[in-house]
């Protein structure tokens, strides 16, 4: 008798699913989640760093395919695209002198190379990007531009917006002014001898110069020496641009009961910088979103909307090309909602939403479900994350589940981005928040997003 | 008239000095000290790392001579000795595999070298020194011994006593069992990708094998991989033993009024490991003790006992040979008292003394003067520090002004030992404690120490 009932239930999922998803029960169960940590532990241990466009990223895709299949997701597949490949070479630097000082230095992504035997030049010190911009054209000829700053910790990570441009565009500006190379104080907030890498972008037509970041203690040593007299650096950086290189995103789904309701797109990015293990950036993001989706999958209740989990393949070196590739490939599909986790694994403290006016009650339901986790509604615009912003721009609704970024830029893009930096308790709070959010959004009776026009 | 009085005072210092040193006033003024920070800033900026027996250490000696002279110390000179030189070469390591992992690795002092092209071997994992000791003779032939542990933070630094021996003697034990090399989890308590170096000692007759430490995150990755299957490492370490190399300690004095009362010996060590800047280990120690002595010098009151400040030259690679050399050279002098600062620059929380029974009141006076700084009397034995322990063993009284070591082994012997790790507020508390202690000890009417026998 029991057996018959069980078989019936299995044969008639729609009956059970019709009972709906309970955001509160799912949320509370997620506070005991172990899957998210297991995914980060596996990815950092069995694959490790996985720069987009390299064989390590290809290994990570295989790992992700196997994982999503093993977890029971549907339609698991890879969506390939090409990324402009770039790989690190030798990277050493020193302050020349009678007692030369070895620098903790790393090339920025897309950096040019020095001659194999290195490059020696005096520095010209700039305090910030505005000072570099103000340098007369040609004034840096044969010199190394050294740009420092005072980026400080901020819960919302906003200091990266203020000081990050030194890395994003400083090298291109220095190159145009004739600099032989540029060295920046890392766009980071820690005081460890671990420099922060990350992409820099040379303007079209500007030949890349060697561009590197030193750790904050090294930067402050250079600043102190510069107060005493001229400072001469020797740099040896031999990175290599590889041209178009295969990359790809891993996709898995939980099919929804109502195809017309549109897709809920969630994910993080699978690729990472090459210096650490890619634990907080962004093993955490793929793990949190996958673990949350898995809880919906295991609830025994089919969601109204299809939940699509994407492990994006080249956010870092690709500068978001993976999200662009996704959006381009899926332009004909209706996306109701999109959200990314790409800011570590510390606790979520605030959420911002983009929802249609008619779906205002969804915000209230989210606020109610998230409040017990210490998460308050914010008043900001939804940014979405580099991999989903194109989908949101194209009309999808979205949410930012904002994580505490106080220590994020201590670790971001450094050798220190390792498994031990994951706090399992805060990680579980993230999974609980994403689970509650998914339960509400996937089943919302309201109309979410816009119908994407068929271009 | 005023002028005449001033001239008289200058001509008759003994009158002023007879008024004695006021430990309380001197202590409180020292809470505004700037000299100690200035010394550390200068040494770390103008010299930098200064491994004993190298030209960098020679530069540091010159810097120290000039500094002690400029500060007005008497009898400033260098006391030379020889140290067994050892210098670092190339040091790289990786975990072999389809996605090789670069290790944050550093050779231990006195490590042997691998072939120039490196050495590849499987590891045998040991959890602690006892496990390594229990390995059968010959069982490590052609293998890399990998020794891990769980050293944790402790205010009194005692975890170094418990786990440090893995570094001190582990390599010699592994070599005797036939290991091709040894890699240890750093004897440290931080989770940064900065390995901790430090000397290891091969027993007489044992040929040094390559011996290195990996950072804690690297060690934990190796542990996780070892649970999944065999782990193979490739190491390239090319350090070099240099044989007897010139080193020396820098000495300066404040002459006392009563030569029969014996010398008060204080100091820290000038040499440092080569990976960082030698700020907490031990720029802080020479700075704290020198700044305290300078306050006695500037008080205008001559101390009863001669205060001798020594910047010891090779505590690290020499393993305390600098203190032995000092004691040997000064065996005929009566030392009343000796103390060293060599545990960073965080606040002093406790003191232990070794004093003659008849000088018990000195302890009470110290307790009264130190209590307002948050320093309580302890019940332990005086250890003295590696550079003064021989002098204390030979009969001198002494004190341990015990610093908070909670974060000391996060930084000790790593690239992270840089100026920014000095907390100026805690540094000033140290200077205040040392100043009060010196004012009491240098002028104590009691008989301190023993007369050292003339061997």
């Amino acid at each position: 008798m029991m057996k018959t009932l069980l078989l019936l239930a299995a044969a008639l999922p729609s009956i059970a699913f019709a009972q709906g998803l309970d955001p509160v029960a799912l949320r509370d169960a997620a506070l005991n989640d172990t899957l998210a940590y297991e995914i980060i532990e596996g990815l950092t241990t069995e694959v490790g760093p996985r720069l987009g466009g390299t064989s390590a990223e290809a290994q990570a895709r295989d790992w992700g395919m196997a994982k999503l299949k093993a977890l029971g997701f549907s339609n698991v597949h890879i969506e390939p695209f090409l990324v402009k490949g770039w790989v690190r070479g030798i990277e050493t630097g020193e302050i020349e002198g009678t007692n030369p000082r070895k620098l903790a230095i790393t090339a920025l992504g897309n950096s040019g190379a020095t001659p194999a035997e290195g490059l020696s030049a005096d520095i010209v010190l700039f305090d910030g990007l505005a000072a570099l911009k103000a340098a007369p054209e040609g004034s840096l000829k044969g010199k190394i531009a050294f740009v420092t700053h005072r980026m400080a910790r901020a819960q919302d990570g906003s200091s990266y917006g203020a000081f990050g441009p030194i890395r994003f565009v400083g090298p291109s500006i220095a190159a145009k002014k004739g600099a032989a190379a540029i060295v920046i104080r890392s766009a980071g907030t820690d005081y460890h001898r671990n420099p922060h890498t990350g992409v820099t972008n040379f303007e079209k037509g500007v030949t890349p110069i060697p561009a590197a970041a030193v750790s904050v203690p090294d930067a402050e040593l250079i600043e102190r020496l510069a107060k005493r007299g001229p400072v001469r650096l020797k740099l040896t950086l031999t990175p290599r641009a590889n041209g178009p290189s295969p990359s790809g995103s891993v996709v898995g789904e939980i099919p929804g009961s109502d195809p017309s309701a549109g897709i809920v797109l969630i994910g993080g990015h699978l690729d990472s910088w090459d210096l650490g293990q890619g634990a907080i950036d962004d093993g955490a993001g793929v793990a949190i979103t996958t673990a949350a989706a898995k809880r919906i999958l295991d609830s025994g209740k089919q969601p109204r909307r299809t939940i699509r989990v994407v492990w994006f393949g080249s956010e870092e070196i690709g500068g978001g090309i993976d999200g662009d590739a996704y959006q381009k490939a899926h332009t004909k599909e209706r996306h109701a909602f999109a959200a990314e986790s790409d800011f570590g694994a510390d606790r979520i403290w605030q959420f911002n939403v983009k929802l249609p006016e008619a779906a205002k009650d969804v915000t209230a339901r989210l606020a109610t479900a998230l409040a017990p986790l210490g998460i308050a509604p914010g008043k900001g615009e939804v940014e979405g994350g580099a991999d989903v912003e194109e989908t949101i721009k194209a009309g999808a609704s979205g949410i930012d589940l904002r994580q505490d970024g106080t220590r994020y830029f201590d670790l971001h893009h450094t050798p220190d981005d390792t498994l031990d930096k994951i706090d399992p308790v805060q990680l579980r709070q993230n999974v609980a928040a994403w689970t509650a959010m998914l339960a509400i959004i996937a089943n919302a009776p309201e109309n979410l997003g816009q119908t994407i026009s068929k271009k």
Side-chain angles (χ1 to χ4, degrees), chain A:
Chain A
M1 175 95 170
M2 278 297 285
K3 200 174 173 185
T4 313
L5 272 177
L6 282 169
L7 285 169
L8 261 175
L12 296 167
S14 58
I15 294 172
F17 295 156
Q19 294 168 8
L21 297 161
D22 178 349
V24 170
L26 286 165
R27 175 197 73 201
D28 291 347
L31 288 171
N32 296 314
D33 182 77
T34 56
L35 176 59
Y37 189 85
E38 186 189 308
I39 291 172
I40 307 172
E41 197 270 351
L43 194 54
T44 56
T45 305
E46 293 165 19
V47 180
R50 43 202 184 274
L51 188 60
T54 67
S55 65
E57 188 229 319
Q59 288 174 42
R61 285 198 298 276
D62 293 343
W63 193 95
M65 279 276 283
K67 178 59 74 178
L68 288 177
K69 281 182 182 171
L71 290 173
F73 285 88
S74 299
N75 191 22
V76 177
H77 64 282
I78 288 170
E79 300 191 356
F81 57 87
L82 293 173
V83 65
K84 275 199 293 182
W86 178 92
V87 291
R88 201 173 295 287
I90 291 165
E91 39 193 30
T92 62
E94 66 178 44
I95 303 169
E96 295 189 326
T98 51
N99 186 20
R101 312 296 177 83
K102 206 171 159 184
L103 292 170
I105 194 167
T106 195
L108 301 178
N110 298 325
S111 167
T114 64
E117 69 278 14
L119 175 161
S120 284
D122 286 339
I123 67 159
V124 181
L125 188 149
F126 298 99
D127 190 356
L129 194 61
L132 176 65
K133 283 180 178 166
E137 300 295 316
S139 65
L140 289 171
K141 199 158 170 55
K143 307 284 189 183
I144 296 173
F146 173 73
V147 189
T148 191
H149 59 83
R150 289 289 177 273
M151 180 172 166
R153 293 188 180 98
Q155 186 183 14
D156 67 357
S158 54
S159 59
Y160 190 56
F163 298 96
I166 292 172
R167 190 194 85 212
F168 312 152
V169 301
S172 189
I173 293 168
K176 285 196 286 183
K177 292 179 191 288
I182 180 170
V183 174
I184 65 166
R185 176 176 167 136
S186 284
T189 51
D190 64 297
Y191 272 83
H192 299 288
R193 299 287 298 288
N194 292 313
H196 296 233
T197 189
V199 284
T200 190
N201 297 301
F202 290 93
E203 266 179 46
K204 215 173 162 168
V206 176
T207 304
I209 57 173
V214 291
S215 82
V216 169
D218 291 85
E220 294 196 350
L221 174 62
I222 292 171
E223 291 175 44
R224 296 200 301 275
L225 285 167
K227 280 186 191 153
R228 286 160 159 97
V231 177
R232 196 171 174 83
L233 302 184
K234 178 169 183 185
L235 307 177
T236 307
L237 302 166
T238 62
R240 199 172 74 236
N242 272 350
S245 305
S247 181
S249 297
V250 185
V251 180
E253 291 181 349
I254 306 171
S257 59
D258 179 359
S260 73
I263 291 161
V264 176
L265 168 66
I266 59 167
H269 65 85
L270 177 57
D271 68 309
S272 77
W273 277 102
D274 52 341
L275 302 176
Q277 297 171 355
I280 69 148
D281 189 13
D282 185 30
V286 301
I288 291 163
T289 53
T290 302
K294 171 71 172 163
R295 289 185 168 271
I296 305 296
L297 183 64
D298 288 352
S299 70
K301 309 202 196 305
Q302 186 179 26
R304 180 182 173 214
R305 294 181 175 85
T306 292
I307 297 172
R308 181 177 290 163
V309 181
V310 181
W311 295 16
F312 291 94
S314 279
E315 194 271 343
E316 298 292 5
I317 194 67
I321 196 174
D322 45 358
D324 300 351
Y326 174 87
Q327 180 52 25
K328 217 167 167 182
H330 295 273
T331 189
K332 292 186 179 170
E333 282 180 315
R334 171 161 150 66
H335 281 79
F337 198 87
E340 181 171 20
S341 175
D342 184 18
F343 199 49
D346 283 351
R347 78 176 190 87
I348 297 167
W349 59 286
Q350 193 180 61
F351 74 95
N352 287 322
V353 284
K354 176 195 170 196
L355 284 166
E357 193 59 29
K360 259 195 164 173
D361 187 59
V362 175
T363 309
R365 298 203 299 279
L366 286 168
T368 302
L370 296 174
L373 298 173
I375 303 169
K379 293 177 177 173
E381 292 280 306
V382 166
E383 296 177 2
D387 297 310
V388 300
E389 65 185 2
E390 288 307 313
T391 302
I392 292 174
K393 274 186 203 160
S397 294
I399 193 167
D400 287 341
L401 288 165
R402 306 183 77 194
Q403 292 157 302
D404 186 336
T406 307
R407 65 179 187 132
Y408 187 71
F409 291 107
D410 287 6
L411 304 169
H412 178 247
H413 297 184
T414 73
D416 264 349
D417 181 3
T418 50
L419 176 63
D420 50 273
K421 304 310 180 304
I422 302 291
D423 173 351
V425 174
Q426 296 191 72
L427 179 69
R428 290 195 288 263
Q429 188 255 17
N430 274 265
V431 177
W434 278 83
T435 301
M437 181 277 284
L438 274 185
I440 291 167
I441 294 296
N443 271 15
E446 293 91 343
N447 197 21
L448 303 183
Q450 300 163 5
T451 303
I452 296 166
S453 63
K454 296 180 189 180
K455 291 184 205 171

